[in-house]
């Protein structure tokens, strides 16, 4: 398959430069959008990690946490009768 057949299989006329430019611009816009969404997801993920670690270490450092018995770094919560 040569380059002309390849482009024709996607419906691209190699002689129509404006259509090719529009297709490339559209593909670039889609790529920018995908990258923007990636960074948003990464930000949400790291925010969740920070909140989880903050809560964990806040509980770990609490001296008077009710109904708590400490087992090294793992906590087991029991009901006091």
């Amino acid at each position: 398959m040569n380059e002309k057949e390849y482009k024709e299989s996607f419906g691209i006329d190699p002689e129509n430069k404006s259509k090719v430019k529009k297709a490339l611009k559209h593909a670039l816009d889609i790529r920018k959008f995908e990258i923007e969404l990636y960074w948003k997801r990464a930000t949400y993920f790291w925010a969740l990690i920070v909140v989880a670690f903050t809560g964990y270490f806040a509980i770990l450092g609490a001296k008077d946490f009710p109904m708590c018995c400490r087992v090294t770094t793992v906590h087991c919560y029991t009901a006091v009768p």
Side-chain angles (χ1 to χ4, degrees):
M1 177 179 274
N2 62 20
E3 184 178 350
K4 185 177 180 183
E5 291 172 347
Y6 176 78
K7 288 181 179 181
E8 286 175 355
S9 68
F10 286 104
I12 298 172
D13 182 17
E15 283 74 38
N16 189 353
K17 300 290 183 188
S18 66
K19 188 174 182 180
V20 172
K21 279 188 175 184
K22 286 180 185 178
L24 289 174
K25 184 176 178 342
H26 185 66
L28 180 62
D29 289 340
I30 290 172
R31 181 69 178 146
K32 287 179 185 177
F33 180 69
E34 289 173 353
I35 291 170
E36 180 182 338
L37 289 179
Y38 167 77
W39 284 110
K40 285 181 183 178
R41 284 192 309 269
T43 302
Y44 291 138
F45 172 75
W46 284 111
L48 176 67
I49 295 297
V50 166
V51 168
F53 275 112
T54 302
Y56 175 74
F57 287 113
I59 291 173
L60 187 63
K63 301 248 188 252
D64 298 325
F65 196 71
M67 299 182 294
C68 176
C69 62
R70 292 181 186 224
V71 179
T72 64
T73 59
V74 178
H75 296 277
C76 62
Y77 301 101
T78 59
V80 178

